[in-house]
Amino acid sequence: MHLNRRQFVATGSFALFAATLRAEAKNCPFRLAVIADEIGSDFEHSCHIAANDFGLSWIEVRDVNGKNITKLNEQETADAKKILAKYNLKVTDAGTPLFKSNFPGAPLSKDGGTKDATKIPKDLSEQFELLEAAIAAARNFGTDRIRCFDFWRLEDAKPFRKDMDAALDKAATIAGKQKMVLVLENEMACNTGSGKEAAATLSRVTNPSLMLNWDPGNSGSFPGDVPYPDDYNALPKKRIGHCHVKSVSRNAPGDKHPFQWEPVGKGLVDWTGQLKALKRDGYRYGVSLETHWHSGPGTTPAEIKESSTRISMAGLKQCLKDAGIDC
């Protein structure tokens, strides 16, 4: 007889509950995961929840105790790996901010988080140093995937598009020689933001070591956008190398905030249909919860963040169930 979490908890059988969840997920076609710091800033606590409460075997590592994976020293890396081993968690990808930066020679982007024109770099040397750190971090954590972006969004990217594509291609070549894959996230604050823009970027940069970190929630922040099925159907399926899970709704035209995050299962992203399509199309990589929605119950920001992620993970698992996928 299948027991639910409440029944396991009532008997104190947390380990049995986690083991049961993992057993149920053995047939999962995806690397079902959560970004650790979307649960909270305490890395071990996040891993505990991912493994024991969510029943996951995979986790996405972006920040470890408030420090990006590319900035960890040798001891911090070793400590984090011990925690991962303790909870039997494997890493889907290294969540780095590679190319989440202003592009040399381009106007200052309003999305760059600064109004200081001196933040425009003279060249991309710092970003390629970051790439080397990202490759080292990915290798240390046993993954071949490195998340990257397409530079802070410009009002008109056309004059710089060829050079930005060349930078992505160069970085992918460097990564590929180290048996690594860059997964480019479609991020609304960057030049590849929507699904349509992702399809266009991949058509220009054909390097096989550059794949897409498909994020339907980010794509849905664009007015009129339909992440699934429209945008997904336009993507080259064999070049999707990672997937972020979150949801979004759009506010009325003219609203100060054009969109807002929602728990998975709510909002405009058809996650049931999207997950079913990913399985149908042979996708086998990370499906990683990136909550972003922070309106769950709690009295402190940390409690709200954790409860929100718990709610969204429950929503994700319901969508998987509705799609007929055992995870």
Side-chain angles (χ1 to χ4, degrees):
M1 179 180 69
H2 176 75
L3 299 179
N4 62 33
R5 184 180 190 277
R6 184 173 297 174
Q7 290 169 304
F8 277 115
V9 172
T11 64
S13 302
F14 291 99
L16 182 58
F17 174 69
T20 300
L21 284 178
R22 286 175 185 262
E24 290 173 349
K26 276 188 176 180
N27 295 323
C28 184
F30 314 128
R31 299 171 181 176
L32 188 64
V34 61
I35 300 179
D37 60 271
E38 287 285 343
I39 299 173
S41 59
D42 184 319
F43 187 66
E44 177 154 14
H45 182 63
S46 294
C47 288
H48 173 87
I49 290 173
N52 293 340
D53 291 4
F54 297 164
L56 303 179
S57 297
W58 295 87
I59 196 163
E60 181 171 347
V61 181
R62 183 171 58 192
D63 289 356
V64 175
N65 299 327
K67 199 172 185 180
N68 186 258
I69 190 172
T70 60
K71 295 184 179 296
L72 300 179
N73 61 35
E74 188 174 338
Q75 186 60 56
E76 290 165 335
T77 297
D79 291 343
K81 289 172 69 176
K82 286 180 182 177
I83 292 170
L84 292 167
K86 176 180 177 180
Y87 294 101
N88 296 310
L89 289 168
K90 293 171 287 187
V91 176
T92 57
D93 65 303
T96 83
L98 179 65
F99 294 149
K100 206 170 194 180
S101 62
N102 288 300
F103 191 74
L108 188 68
S109 170
K110 65 179 178 62
D111 293 298
T114 177
K115 295 182 179 180
D116 185 357
T118 64
K119 295 296 183 181
I120 299 176
K122 294 181 179 179
D123 56 43
L124 289 173
S125 58
E126 286 189 7
Q127 291 303 308
F128 281 97
E129 289 173 7
L130 176 58
L131 173 60
E132 293 300 327
I135 290 171
R139 185 177 294 111
N140 281 332
F141 282 88
T143 180
D144 67 347
R145 266 141 233 261
I146 297 167
R147 185 184 62 166
C148 72
F149 297 89
D150 186 19
F151 305 99
W152 291 124
R153 195 170 185 89
L154 299 169
E155 289 188 20
D156 182 11
K158 292 185 183 69
F160 309 95
R161 191 63 268 173
K162 183 177 179 180
D163 290 337
M164 289 190 289
D165 289 345
L168 290 171
D169 183 66
K170 178 181 177 181
T173 297
I174 292 170
K177 288 179 179 178
Q178 298 292 323
K179 302 188 185 308
M180 297 286 171
V181 174
L182 296 185
V183 285
L184 173 67
E185 180 171 347
N186 59 290
E187 155 67 52
M188 74 287 290
C190 295
N191 293 295
T192 295
S194 69
K196 296 179 181 66
E197 290 169 344
T201 299
L202 292 173
S203 71
R204 294 190 308 269
V205 186
T206 58
N207 194 314
S209 294
L210 181 74
M211 298 181 78
L212 176 66
N213 176 6
W214 172 225
D215 191 319
N218 284 350
S219 193
S221 70
F222 288 82
D225 190 277
V226 181
Y228 178 83
D230 296 9
D231 285 355
Y232 175 75
N233 287 343
L235 296 173
K237 309 302 182 289
K238 298 300 182 183
R239 291 189 69 192
I240 301 176
H242 192 61
C243 181
H244 275 169
V245 181
K246 56 178 174 279
S247 195
V248 67
S249 62
R250 288 193 291 266
N251 295 325
D255 194 290
K256 181 180 180 181
H257 302 288
F259 66 90
Q260 60 187 10
W261 301 118
E262 299 286 356
V264 178
K266 308 283 186 183
L268 60 82
V269 180
D270 175 10
W271 273 110
T272 298
Q274 176 66 91
L275 292 163
K276 190 180 295 186
L278 286 169
K279 181 184 178 184
R280 177 199 68 205
D281 295 332
Y283 179 76
R284 293 294 181 267
Y285 302 112
V287 170
S288 183
L289 177 63
E290 186 185 29
T291 315
H292 272 27
W293 172 75
H294 293 150
S295 297
T299 57
T300 68
E303 289 175 350
I304 292 169
K305 188 171 187 178
E306 181 178 319
S307 70
S308 299
T309 297
R310 288 181 181 276
I311 291 168
S312 267
M313 179 57 75
L316 169 54
K317 290 197 172 186
Q318 184 62 52
C319 290
L320 285 161
K321 182 179 178 181
D322 293 344
I325 300 172
D326 294 325
C327 281

